Amino acid sequence: MIETKTALPNELDLSAYWMPFTANRQFKANPRILVSAEGMHYTSADGRKILDGVAGLWCVNAGHGRKEIAQAVERQLQTLDYATAFQMGHPGAFELAARLARIAPQDLDRVFFVNSGSEAVDTALKIALAYHRARGEGHRTRFIGRERAYHGSGFGGMSVGGLMNNRRAFGSMLPGVDHLPHTADIGRNAFSTGLPEHGAELADHLERVIGLHGADTIAAVIVEPMSGSAGVLLPPKGYLEKLRAICDRHGLLLIFDEVITGFGRLGTAFAAQFFGVTPDMMTVAKGLTNAAIPMGAVIAKRGIHDALMTGPEHLIELFHGYTYSGHPVACAAGLATLDIYEREGLFERAASLSSLWEEVVHTLSDSPYVIDIRNLGLVAGIELEPRPNEPGKRAYEAMVDCFENGVLVRQAGDIIALSPPLIIKEAQIHQIVDSLSAALSRVANRDAIRGGLG
Ligand SMILES: Cc1ncc(COP(=O)(O)O)c(C=O)c1O
């Protein structure tokens, strides 16, 4: 086992905190504790600077410690800490919704606020059901997700998601959910730069699923335009266009889960604009507030919203929401974040860095165990050959090695994912890739020693 050198702040008791999506026992034996952050760097408990190669969790797109956001949050807390969310309003929520509508794809201009990506997904699924019902098509109740998708950890998102480990312990989930095949195909697309050539025909499975269940039983199809959490799975050229066409042909709503791809990750405000494919709803979170305050949203086509604005005007149209929907402090953080993106041209910056990013990450093709590299915008996935009988162990060791040497990368199974803040500098791109290359060499050396001893 690799020992981390992190010193703990005095008397920090690790036992009570049950950590999310973490190997708790392994972590607590060798904790990695972060104590502050600024710009592109974290500081660890033992005072080391750690270059953030994953923007926190794909969310700190404008870099850490942005004073403008902190000041906006403080101002808001001192003015209006909380406003009753149901049957009351406050200016920030209306302002932020209007700002989001301005940068969203055409026709998507109605915004429902939530507190996370998971809540955004469950909300979008509920809106889809309510929309069809309002139009007299309440028989459309099925959802179609995709293998290896991640749509958060609520029951809805887990059900349309396609990651076995996230599903197997949790029973039968939502009924009436089917899945499309995932789009990873290393056999045909290994080491593609940008969008892979092969696999648009995988979208045709949607026709087969429709043939099995009947179009009039299906409410919506939900996909990540680019899957992040499963380890950066890209849509083949033409794939999303085909999904859109099939959904149109059969009256199915198309939901893009843009929780990772939203707010500049691919060099445009949203992936929908990058691909030129417009969904009926988008789910967003993460970069919406630069992760400073939890917040998510569903951005829906006006027609979906309007279809629900029926019945007596004194009655609630959609029986859904959260105590913290449109929380004033989150809205203040969101507005300050959008200001930064705009003022600093960060989406354009991501676009202009993406070819250098592509070139540099693909130099890892010479490193040990690398069987595929995928990139798009400021995202990359480096897939490793798994160690026999120890799935995920090699990538874990590489991640820990990078951390010990001052770079934070993310591990998903045997894939290393990279998604730095959009403010990254050229030298820092090299630092991330050099660190990963050195880590993989050290992992290979240790494997060789182990093999020699064995
Ligand atoms: C595509 C996608 N949807 C939903 C989620 C869930 O977001 P949250 O963790 O904010 O609930 C994530 C988180 O990584 C995500 O990547």
Side-chain angles (χ1 to χ4, degrees):
M1 166 153 331
I2 302 170
E3 294 294 320
T4 56
K5 302 183 207 92
T6 311
L8 287 180
N10 282 343
E11 294 169 17
L12 185 61
D13 178 356
L14 302 182
S15 57
Y17 177 32
W18 189 345
M19 299 175 72
F21 281 119
T22 297
N24 276 254
R25 289 158 302 160
Q26 183 186 53
F27 181 95
K28 289 173 186 182
N30 292 292
R32 296 175 291 278
I33 307 284
L34 304 170
V35 292
S36 65
E38 171 109 48
M40 282 294 301
H41 292 91
Y42 283 110
T43 304
S44 62
D46 56 351
R48 292 180 305 116
K49 288 259 172 275
I50 312 287
L51 179 62
D52 186 358
V54 287
L57 266 179
W58 322 76
C59 46
V60 188
N61 291 5
H64 294 274
R66 299 301 307 238
K67 300 279 180 293
E68 307 90 317
I69 302 175
Q71 285 157 3
V73 163
E74 190 188 351
R75 262 197 315 273
Q76 186 60 51
L77 275 170
Q78 288 182 351
T79 315
L80 177 70
D81 55 351
Y82 175 72
T84 307
F86 307 156
Q87 304 283 21
M88 301 295 288
H90 67 92
F94 296 98
E95 281 172 42
L96 183 58
R99 287 281 294 275
L100 289 171
R102 278 211 290 281
I103 61 169
Q106 217 189 350
D107 296 339
L108 278 81
D109 62 0
R110 293 295 180 263
V111 181
F112 196 103
F113 286 119
V114 300
N115 306 290
S116 67
S118 299
E119 287 183 2
V121 168
D122 283 15
T123 298
L125 299 179
K126 287 178 72 174
I127 291 176
L129 293 174
Y131 163 75
H132 287 302
R133 190 166 186 276
R135 295 163 49 250
E137 294 199 27
H139 41 79
R140 287 185 180 269
T141 56
R142 289 183 193 279
F143 295 114
I144 312 299
R146 193 167 57 186
E147 297 165 351
R148 296 182 71 179
Y150 183 58
H151 296 297
S153 18
F155 269 92
M158 175 176 68
S159 305
V160 292
L163 292 170
M164 188 254 280
N165 285 335
N166 290 6
R167 297 162 54 90
R168 69 200 303 187
F170 305 113
S172 48
M173 294 175 269
L174 276 189
V177 173
D178 211 335
H179 289 77
L180 301 175
H182 65 74
T183 60
D185 185 353
I186 296 189
R188 290 194 295 169
N189 290 323
F191 299 101
S192 301
T193 49
L195 293 183
E197 288 294 332
H198 306 288
E201 74 284 354
L202 290 166
D204 295 332
H205 280 262
L206 180 54
E207 288 283 12
R208 292 176 54 179
V209 172
I210 291 168
L212 178 66
H213 298 295
D216 63 349
T217 70
I218 302 173
V221 176
I222 179 165
V223 292
E224 301 155 276
M226 179 214 76
S227 302
S229 300
V232 184
L233 311 184
L234 304 177
K237 285 181 186 162
Y239 172 89
L240 293 172
E241 291 85 339
K242 271 185 168 240
L243 277 190
R244 177 71 273 182
I246 298 170
C247 286
D248 285 346
R249 208 154 43 239
H250 297 282
L252 280 48
L253 295 178
L254 179 61
I255 304 168
F256 276 0
D257 185 346
E258 295 241 18
V259 166
I260 278 180
T261 49
F263 307 102
R265 182 57 46 205
L266 302 184
T268 47
F270 300 100
Q273 292 137 338
F274 178 86
F275 290 108
V277 176
T278 305
D280 300 297
M281 283 188 269
M282 298 191 310
T283 51
V284 299
K286 296 194 189 258
L288 168 55
T289 57
N290 204 36
I293 302 283
M295 186 176 221
V298 175
I299 310 179
K301 276 194 175 155
R302 187 181 299 192
I304 292 178
H305 166 272
D306 289 353
L308 286 160
M309 297 299 128
T310 54
E313 289 195 5
H314 70 283
L315 286 187
I316 291 167
E317 298 98 353
L318 181 69
F319 280 87
H320 179 72
Y322 303 93
T323 300
Y324 302 132
S325 283
H327 193 290
V329 178
C331 289
L335 286 164
T337 300
L338 294 187
D339 284 344
I340 294 173
Y341 291 148
E342 204 174 299
R343 196 170 54 243
E344 299 183 4
L346 288 185
F347 305 164
E348 297 76 15
R349 182 183 166 75
S352 67
L353 280 174
S354 63
S355 53
L356 173 78
W357 173 257
E358 173 176 285
E359 192 184 312
V360 178
V361 294
H362 275 270
T363 60
L364 287 164
S365 60
D366 294 333
S367 290
Y369 308 126
V370 174
I371 55 172
D372 189 21
I373 297 176
R374 307 180 276 273
N375 71 282
L376 203 65
L378 278 189
V379 182
I382 295 95
E383 182 149 358
L384 308 181
E385 184 191 335
R387 187 178 291 151
N389 304 321
E390 289 187 319
K393 202 74 191 298
R394 237 174 217 153
Y396 173 77
E397 289 178 11
M399 181 274 285
V400 173
D401 185 298
C402 285
F403 181 75
E404 288 190 336
N405 288 287
V407 174
L408 183 63
V409 301
R410 179 138 178 81
Q411 174 218 352
D414 281 292
I415 300 161
I416 297 287
L418 305 175
S419 61
L422 314 180
I423 59 166
I424 191 168
K425 300 221 160 58
E426 186 172 338
Q428 293 165 331
I429 294 179
H430 286 285
Q431 188 188 341
I432 293 171
V433 168
D434 290 349
S435 171
L436 186 52
S437 162
L440 291 171
S441 298
R442 281 188 286 268
V443 171
N445 287 342
R446 280 194 295 271
D447 280 354
I449 292 166
R450 232 183 318 226
L453 291 177

